[in-house]
Amino acid sequence: MKRFLGFLVKEFYHIFRDYRTMVILFGMPVIQILLFGFAIRNEIKDTKIAILDYSRDNVTQEISNKILSSGYFILSDNLFNEKELEEEFKKGTIKEIIIFEQNFSENLYKTGKANIQLILDASEANLANMVMGYTNSILKEYQKEISGKYSSPPSITTEVKMRYNPELKSVYMFVPGIMAIILMLVSALMTSISITREKELGTMEILLVSPLNPLMIIIGKVIPYLILGIINAVIILLISANVFNVPVSGSNILLLAETVLFVITALSLGILISTLVNDQQTAMMISLAGLMLPTVMLSGYVFPIENMPVVLQWLSHILPAKWYVIIVKSIMLKGSGFGYIWKETLILAGMTIFLILLSIKKFKIRLF
Amino acid sequence: MSIVKVNNLSKSYGKTEALKDISFEVKPGELFGFIGPDGAGKTTLLRILTSLIIPDKGTAEVLGYDVVKDYRKIRSSVGYMPGRFSLYQDLSVEENLKFFATIFGTTLEENYNLIKNIYIYLEPFKKRKAGKLSGGMKQKLALCCALIHKPDLLILDEPTTGVDPVSRDEFWEMLGGLKAEGITTVVSTPYMDEAKLCDRVALIQKGNILDIDKPSELIKRNYRKMYAIKSDNMYGLIKSLNEFENIDSVNIFGEYIHFTFNEGDENMDALKKYLSEKGITEIEYKEIKPDIEDIFIELMRK
Amino acid sequence: MNMEKIIDAENLTKKFGNFIAVNDVTFQVGQGEIFGFLGANGAGKTTAIKMLCGLLTPTGGKATVAGFDVFKETEKIKNNIGYMSQRFSLYEDLTVAENLEFYGGVYGLRKNIIKDKTDYFLKLLNMEEERNKLLKSLPLGWKQKLAFLTAIIHEPKIVFLDEPTGGVDPVMRRQFWTLIYKAAEEGTTVFVTTHYMDEAEYCGRISMMVDGKIAALDTPTKLKEKFNASTMHEVFVKIARG
């Protein structure tokens, strides 16, 4: 155990002393997510909405004003009955209709509960998601403001209906995609480089000749990057929740557990690469071209998988990132529990076990 | 018992035969040298002894263990210093030592006695990063790291390559000190002049062992008289000697040229006459005892 | 030294921050000389060579190489010198002829001259059959000899050799030195560093650097007399240990 700890300490020395890589590792997720986030946030300025107010009282008026003065939304029409909804959406200019129930303020005063329905045009899924997020946060803010006035805290519940694309299928959610890419990069690329560097230096020869078990060498190499990967994932989630209002709807713990699983998949890929090549340059090339590129292109991050040629769809099945992106989307956006994603989790776990076994088998106890 | 016992060992990489049917033994307490140029097969051989490479044919036993079957036992009792001083460049002198001590399950203090004489050179720089050390210092640190677990056998691959003569002298003094402590050492080097510092040497070239013996015995192998000659026009002298028909070998050695006559055709007077005809003057010559390098060249020609 | 001065260094100095790598060095090297440049690791040899090749600007003193100033005329210096080291030599994945063609082209030689030179070099080395073989298929000693000739393909006034014979077998090493002798005989100045002390004896004059300064400079014979030593190895150790 002491030997192993000594090894681990050395790995952390390497990481912390290479401060340029550290800056890239922690700066990159922040920059990427900010870039993507702000690129999309611009689109949500002056989004046209319609309001159907069955109640027409002080409270609904206050809420409407609040929403319209936020700068994100412009009122296109006031509607009077539900029949107009279809008509309104078909014009194609409005993205959201907000419906206040009858006797809204009365309900809120008396029972402490009132309902708002949000109907969204989900044909541009990502936009719909953002619009919904912004509307919700304005409503929450309002709720906080008025909570002092009531004996029991009021709750405004929102019911969301997505039109045209109710499951947000092609949702272009950048957060899950960025998480997959960053974790792949940190874990697979960095591990493979760190192992091949020892091969280049010749220190791997000494490690192999030492009584250190090869399994310990692997684990010692993997743990620091596992930790770095998790820290990175947490940073991404914090930024996305606090800066871009993309909170995790489902369980944080489940999300973290799935993330750990994905990081381990990526780490075993990294080890596998390092067992196949002998220098840092090749390891980097394989990691970037063989892992990053497919992850970006085929995981459903940039292009919807449904729209790809069948061959590529098949190919995308063997990418761990694809399954991870599905899992993260479900937990983050839909709030799904484990019951909904066990299949994807099982696939990812199966891949991980396969890769670990393969890389342990390939990790040579000798040179060549 | 022998510390290393190798029988009919062969190893090829594709078409290149790195080792061809090699056999030798190293006895306890010996300082055993493999002398040969780059590409002779030294590194391959030492890697087989450390169990890093599996041989194609033949057997090798180290400390009584088979290098293929019992590799684990070998790995915990051998100290190995690969070529190019494999150290962690971004760790300090002290951190490198501590790291290698921990992975061998020991501490710096436990075996300090063994490395004391070497470590005193390094102590003033113990906080310096290994990457910032001079070649000689790196070499000493790498030796300390290989010794830290008090190995029963020390295997050093070209420890003096690329290092200046002063550091090389110091390094061999250290190896002498370790020998006095009873440590068996197998060392490889491309420098022929280091052969005389070993107890026994194997001259190795293109995967073959040309000869194995004590250095003092090896230099007796040459049966022909060898001369050293010099003049004020060395290039002219080399050319002329090469053109003279009764001469067998001509090799420059430092300020002299070593040469031998064809067998039974020794005629110094004829040579002197020939040289003066060629305009080579101020000749100075003497009969000499050949050194290891002469022997190596002679063996290579066969 | 009544010949042309190919290297003329006066009080040459190079500082890196507080560290003085080359400290006030003065020496001359004449045409056709074989000049051995020795010193312990870290004594400042590499820095000095880099300055003389026009790769590093000195911080003090002055120097000319092949008649050109190391401060102002570095491009001209680069055209008039050859350089070869143990690490940097030829391209492994090109053939023998392609390597010569490439380096000839780098120095702006005409096609027919490169071809003549290639024919001549290969004949000199007895390597005519290897003309179209990839470099990596050749033994180290052959590569080094070829690398040396490549370094002088443009007939430079001076060639810098940085540990050219490391790891080369004893027979090849001597053949290599025969090439050096031949080049010097034909008027090329040879500036060489080596860790083989017997090779130091082959040099016309030798300088020994210690801690950035030239601690000794003379012919091997005179150095041995002066330090009361029988070999250059002893001389080296005596000077370096002070």
Side-chain angles (χ1 to χ4, degrees), chain A residues 2-3 6-8 10 13-15 17-18 197-214 365-368, chain B residues 13 47 50-54 67-68 71-72 75-76 78 80 82 84 86-92 95 99-100 102-105 107 129:
Chain A
K2 223 183 135 200
R3 293 177 188 186
F7 189 81
L8 209 55
K10 182 208 71 143
Y13 279 150
H14 288 321
I15 292 171
R17 285 185 187 169
D18 186 7
R197 183 174 50 205
E198 298 225 22
K199 285 194 186 179
E200 264 179 35
L201 261 180
T203 42
M204 190 52 89
E205 279 180 58
I206 305 186
L207 293 184
L208 287 176
V209 170
S210 78
L212 213 56
N213 189 323
I365 51 167
R366 300 171 203 274
L367 295 171
F368 310 115
Chain B
Y13 303 110
R47 280 177 170 173
T50 47
S51 81
L52 282 169
I53 297 181
I54 297 180
V67 290
V68 179
Y71 70 93
R72 274 184 189 282
R75 289 180 184 190
S76 50
V78 164
Y80 174 47
R84 302 174 291 137
S86 306
L87 300 161
Y88 294 103
Q89 313 284 326
D90 53 345
L91 300 190
S92 70
E95 285 162 349
F99 172 68
F100 285 109
T102 9
I103 63 167
F104 280 97
T107 59
K129 301 262 191 316

Side-chain angles (χ1 to χ4, degrees), chain C residues 83-117:
Chain C
Y83 178 80
M84 177 211 161
S85 83
Q86 189 189 355
R87 290 162 297 277
F88 173 75
S89 50
L90 304 173
Y91 293 100
E92 295 275 305
D93 52 352
L94 296 186
T95 64
V96 171
E98 284 163 351
N99 265 298
L100 287 164
E101 199 182 318
F102 170 74
Y103 279 105
V106 165
Y107 288 102
L109 298 186
R110 283 205 312 275
K111 277 257 152 78
N112 57 334
I113 293 183
I114 297 177
K115 202 195 156 287
D116 291 349
K117 282 271 182 188

Side-chain angles (χ1 to χ4, degrees), chain C residues 36-56:
Chain C
F37 200 60
L38 309 184
N41 299 97
K45 277 181 302 174
T46 311
T47 310
I49 290 179
K50 279 187 178 164
M51 285 194 284
L52 295 174
C53 292
L55 299 173
L56 260 185

